[in-house]
Amino acid sequence: MMDLEEIKNSAQKEWENIDSLESLEQWRIKFLSRKSELSQFFNNLKNTPLKERKEKGKKANEIRAFLNEIYQQKKNKLLDNSYSQKEIDITRPGVKIEIGHLHPLTLITRDLVKTFEKLGFEIVLGEEIETEYYNFDALRIPENHPARDMWDTFWIKSKGKNPVYTDEQKSKLLLRTHTSPMQIHYMETHKPPFRIIVPGRCFRFEATDPHHDFQFHQIEGLVVDNNINLANFKQLINEVLNEIFEQNIIVRFRPSYFPFVTPGLEVDIKLNNEWLEVMGAGMVHPDLFKKVGYSQNKYQGFAFGLGIERIAMVKYNINDIRLFFNSDLRFLKQFS
Amino acid sequence: MKFSYFWLKDLINFKQSPDKLANLLTLFFAETNISFVNKRPILEVDLLPNRFVDGSSHLGLAREIGAILNKKFNYPQIKVKEGKEDIKDYLIVNNKSKNCRLYTSRVIFNVEVKPSPKWVQERLIDCGLRPINNVVDATNYIMLLTGQPLHVFDFDKVSSNKLNKKEIIIRQAQDNETITTLDNKTYNLTKNVLLICDSNKPLAIAGIKGGVSAEVTPQTRRIIIESANFDPYNIRQTSRAINLRTDASVRFEHDIPFELTFYALELVSNLIQELAGGEILKGVIATRKEKLKKIGFKISESECQKFLGINISLKEIKNKLDLLGFQIKKEKKKEKSIFITTPFIRNDLKIKEDIIGEIGRLIGFNNIKPQRIIAELKIPEKNDIWDFTNKLTDWMKTFGFTEVKNYSLISLKDKNYYSNQDKIIDLSNPLSENFSSIRADLLIGLFHNIELNYRFFDEVKIFEIGNVYNWENDKIKENILLSSVWAQKKNNKEEELYYCAKGIIETLFNVLNIQEKDYEIQKIKNGYRIVLIKNKDKEIGRLFYLDDETKKNFSLEGSIVAFTFNVLMLKLITGKIQYRELPLYPPVLRDISLVIDKKTSIGEIIKNIKGVSSLLESLELFDVYEGKNIPNNKKSLSFHLIFRSSSKTLSSKEVDEEITKIITILQQLGAEIR
């Protein structure tokens, strides 16, 4: 019967020469299995006088722990060696997976819509061709009023007979200059309370440059109930902007004017120490409620229009608005 | 609009630096920037259209600044020193048009026309106007101060009537009447233009520009001052028609109140006397005396709180309104409300909400504490079209296509590609020929995209989902389309790409749970179209490859396939996910290879195989071969066949019987089994 110290020494000596998983397994059987001398030592421990038993048992346990540890150590090392023998060059580039890309405006619009959906907003869609009535008159922008100058308009060339609409809508056709006509369309068929957003494409008759394009996208918002106030608008917009930009955005509210709201507001955000206009807004003008047949003095609400291109440009650091519509894959492939 | 910082400072004393002031105005009034003229600071205020009348004046801006700084500013009141001679003995005004709502006039004799003093000249220059002489400068000065455009005529150049009085006639122009304005331009007029005339010639285009015929010159000794009020719509129409916008016309377009007209006449008479001397004749000629009734409103504390969402006291409301020049007529302490009238200069305040908005503005929209909406919790109504287009977009991306967004406007040249040009919607005022019509499909845009991207890529896989429009029986018809192109510059085998695209469509149909029974495929040139089975004219979509002519038209090369779907139509045939029970019995797999005439369509073969065996669960074509070892007019096809019964495990014998049936039917089609 070997002495404990001898077991340890011979095991360690043999261990040092092991160079394969097979010989390591043999070593394990010899020194750590149930048939090993160490196991037998434990088996015989009960025959040892009580006085020695405690001390020897402790020592044997220490040796067993030690052998287990060097066993694992060697095993890991041998496994590592065997993997590297498969000759994988971990520095070689992987095989390319071809993927498609979503348009940056789609990404931003979805972000915004998702945020509003979480807040219980309904999504409403409108047509890009509108009548003068819905785009202007119903929104308190009469012909020959200086306020019309705020919206340079593409007009549709009428075809043969003019299209016939219902009396109120018997007006010229145009490419909508904003998504606001949907405020009237929606309210004509729905009663408060409601919260809606209208994402959509709009057009302005203006020359293009890096900051302006004749085509752009907006998200219109309209919230009406009997108690919706200006402080509610501020809270909502703060939350939405923080969510979109994934940080605490510094927001500024200042006076503005749109005939279909009173008072009118402009919302700016501060980025890189500069104020950027991101939306126009205000409390819905009571004339609109009257126009769609709501009972008077019953409802209050706010409306806002958010420029999607502007948000995308800020978020992705894009410096030319025309890139959105040039369909250059070198640009588009940067977004997923 | 430009404002002189020092002028404002003279009107209402403040300590704020130009930058500080600009910042305050931006937050409380309108966006303001600073510039300099000869080191004198200028405030450039981007006036809001509703605040033009009061805001386009130094007095109006001074009141705003005062209100922001909690300092009340009152418009100065003056009394004109009149002479003994009565204006009525020298001048009559004959208003013949409703487009002139009010005409007021004073006459000054013995003026000395010369250059203005430096302080007047500097203020005009600061505000972007050119000094001319003291009399003309005085009218411009008072316009900048009050917002009321003014004009002066040389008394002696105006013709007299039979009673030997000067007569000002206000009338509409005759067609083809002409006038030469102060800048020596001649305008051809129409009936719609309002003129200020004497009995034989026009003196000015009312509210827009003076004429040379009664111009004030250094020789002028006697003058007629005009302070008038014209119909804003008429001024706007005229200004547009003759393409002439002036400081005066822009102000008149915004509907000036009568009070301002009377007020400015007094200020300008006084200033001319100060700068040019002379005696102001006694009295004012005015075509009407009455001022408009002031509008009154009842405003309560609770209404303000409800609308703005803030805690505000009646005291504070009163303070804010007072600063803005409102008059508080009555106060009801019990119900915490006041009755007020608006300042005459504010023509933008028409309803109660406008006034509550003013209170909010002066508190500072920034200073209103945000508050969460309290509302019913309910799931909003679903927008199926929005959801479906998003789903399509995601699948197209998954299939490796990149989304583009093209312009909705197409060029005159592109319009020519449409076979039915009558249906194309044109703009009546296009920016240019490059963007003159509205797109009626998405493919033309995508074809152009291929050309652009071929410069940098050999393969272009793109798609767009968008709205298109066309005329349909004199009405606008909107369609939402999904269109896609797949182009390979260096591949000349269109059919390879075609089958790949077909695979994408089949996969798309599969993921949308579209059943074969809901649509039908019809052959067209270079491809097929898919129609609704219920209504065979309704096209859901089509797939085709581009022929050489189309490629030439769009300067394209290589292989190009395109497909397009009507999104709503496609949505109509999508199905729901339905779980089918997992099979209880194992499948039996067999392969079969055959050689058959090239002309026999694969669809026909599959249909026959499926038709003859009831135990065939599915089949898959895994090889198509033509060429070596196969006769010229033949092709070789290989199928995996999967047999399964839902009620038992199939025996080899049972499957053999099925195979025999299939072989028999294939032989009838002329196939040779290998």
Side-chain angles (χ1 to χ4, degrees), chain B residues 3 7 62 68 88 100 144 178 316 321 330 332 334 339 365 396 398 402 413 474 478 481 491 499 528 574 585 652:
Chain B
F3 294 86
W7 194 350
I68 296 165
K88 284 191 199 111
C100 175
L144 294 173
T178 61
E316 208 178 338
L321 292 178
K330 256 190 269 170
K332 286 193 175 168
K334 223 178 185 178
F339 190 81
F365 293 138
M396 289 305 292
T398 306
T402 293
K413 195 176 160 217
D474 289 345
E478 179 191 68
L481 300 183
N491 176 357
Y499 291 127
Y528 64 75
T574 55
Y585 303 98
S652 173

Side-chain angles (χ1 to χ4, degrees), chain A residues 101 103 106 110 123 128 144 149 153 155 157 201 205 213 215 232 234 239 253 255 262 327 329, chain B residues 27 236-237 240 306 354 365-366 368 371-372 383 390 394 403 406-408 426 428-429 453 469:
Chain A
H101 302 263
H103 197 280
T106 299
R110 284 187 179 183
I123 304 158
E128 289 158 17
N144 270 323
D149 293 347
T153 310
W155 296 92
K157 197 188 260 179
R201 184 175 280 198
F205 180 86
D213 208 332
Q215 166 176 311
N232 293 152
K234 288 190 65 178
E239 280 188 44
F253 298 82
T262 187
S327 301
L329 285 172
Chain B
L27 283 175
R236 184 173 157 85
Q237 280 172 346
R240 299 212 146 185
K306 188 185 173 212
D354 290 336
F365 293 138
N366 255 344
I368 291 174
Q371 204 178 84
R372 285 217 159 70
N383 189 318
N390 274 308
D394 284 336
E403 188 192 13
N406 285 315
Y407 286 113
S408 292
D426 295 328
S428 62
N429 61 333
N453 283 294
Y469 296 88

